[in-house]
Amino acid sequence: MTQTAWQLRGRNALVTGATRGIGKAIAIELLELGAHVILVARSQADIDAAIRELGDRVTGIAADVTSAADRSRIVAHVREQGPLHALVHNAGGNIRNKLIDYDDATIEKMIALNLTAPILLSRDLHPQLRAAAGASVVHIGSIAGFVALPTGVAYAAAKAGLAQAARTRTPLVESVLSRPESLGPILARTPLGRVAEPHEVATVVAFLALPASSYVTGQCIAVDGGMSIQGLPALP
C-alpha cells in the first residue's frame, strides 16, 4: 500500500455541524491529514471563528441543513471547490421527551434534522461526490440508533435510519453526563469504563475518509467503548 493511501492531500471534505464537539474534532483530524475542509454550521460567527483558528485550508458556509435554500447554497459553495472526496454528516440534535409529550412539530423537526437533511444533502452533492471517483460519505449517529432509550424516540428513530453509532462527551449530551446519577449507570455498562472524547470519533471518521479504507462500505461502526453490547439503562 502506498503512502498516499494514508493522507488526504489535494482532497476536499465537508463536515456539517463543524464548529464544536465531534464535528470540530473531525475537521481538525481531516486537516491534519492534508485535506481542504469545508465547514458548515448555522452561526456565521462560529464559522468565522473556526476559520481563524483552523487556518488557510478551511472555508465555511453558515447554513441550516434542514433548509432547501441553504442546502442549495452549500452545493454552490462545494462546486467552487471542485470534487468532494469526503462528506461527513455530523449536524444533529435531540429533545429528550417521552413520545406522548412530543407535539407534531417537534417530531418533524427531529426527523428533518437527523435523518431527512443528510439524505437530501447527499443526493444534492452526488455530482461532486461522483466527480471525486471514490468519495466517502459518513453519518455520525448515536447509541440511540442501536439500543432502546427511555426518552427521545424521534431522535432515536432518525439515528436508527442513519444506522451509525457514536457516544461521546459533547455539548449535546453534557446535560446528561454532568449528572452523577445518570453518568454512573452509563459507565457501569461501558466495558472501557469511561465516556469517549470527540477526537476518538474523529479518528475513525478520518480513517473512513482515507483511500486506505476504500473497501469499507455500508458498515455501522460503533465508537462507544463497547456500551452497545449491553445497552443503555433507564436514566434518572
Side-chain angles (χ1 to χ4, degrees):
M1 184 176 293
T2 65
Q3 184 177 359
T4 56
W6 295 96
Q7 53 90 9
L8 295 171
R9 293 187 188 92
R11 292 172 177 257
N12 295 318
L14 183 148
V15 183
T16 68
T19 57
R20 63 177 185 163
I22 293 175
K24 186 176 181 181
I26 291 169
I28 291 170
E29 198 71 28
L30 296 174
L31 283 167
E32 290 180 351
L33 289 168
H36 171 273
V37 179
I38 302 166
L39 310 176
V40 176
R42 287 177 294 181
S43 166
Q44 185 65 59
D46 289 348
I47 289 286
D48 293 342
I51 291 174
R52 287 193 299 270
E53 177 185 351
L54 298 179
D56 59 5
R57 279 188 288 110
V58 179
T59 62
I61 180 168
D64 179 349
V65 294
T66 66
S67 162
D70 282 9
R71 287 195 302 272
S72 294
R73 293 195 301 108
I74 294 170
V75 171
H77 184 87
V78 172
R79 284 199 196 104
E80 295 175 357
Q81 309 303 319
L84 184 61
H85 301 83
L87 171 58
V88 183
H89 294 293
N90 173 70
N94 190 12
I95 297 175
R96 296 178 180 87
N97 278 328
K98 296 179 180 179
L99 177 59
I100 58 174
D101 294 328
Y102 282 117
D103 58 25
D104 290 2
T106 301
I107 292 176
E108 290 168 0
K109 179 180 177 181
M110 290 295 96
I111 298 297
L113 175 59
N114 294 295
L115 177 60
T116 309
I119 292 172
L120 294 178
L121 188 57
S122 290
R123 179 200 65 186
D124 296 345
L125 287 171
H126 181 260
Q128 286 69 45
L129 292 164
R130 185 170 183 176
S136 300
V137 177
V138 181
H139 298 111
I140 302 300
S142 167
I143 193 68
F146 274 3
V147 301
L149 296 177
T151 62
V153 65
Y155 174 80
K159 291 303 186 180
L162 289 179
Q164 164 70 3
R167 182 182 62 87
T168 312
R169 184 183 295 278
T170 69
L172 181 63
V173 297
E174 195 60 44
S175 62
V176 174
L177 299 181
S178 63
R179 303 199 313 263
E181 68 272 20
S182 297
L183 178 60
I186 291 173
L187 296 183
R189 297 219 180 182
T190 304
L192 291 188
R194 62 179 179 84
V195 176
E197 297 299 330
H199 72 87
E200 293 176 298
V201 178
T203 53
V204 176
V205 174
F207 170 68
L208 295 173
L210 285 167
S213 67
S214 60
Y215 206 61
V216 179
T217 189
Q219 300 303 304
C220 300
I221 301 175
V223 188
D224 68 355
M227 199 193 75
S228 54
I229 298 169
Q230 304 183 72
L232 188 64
L235 299 178

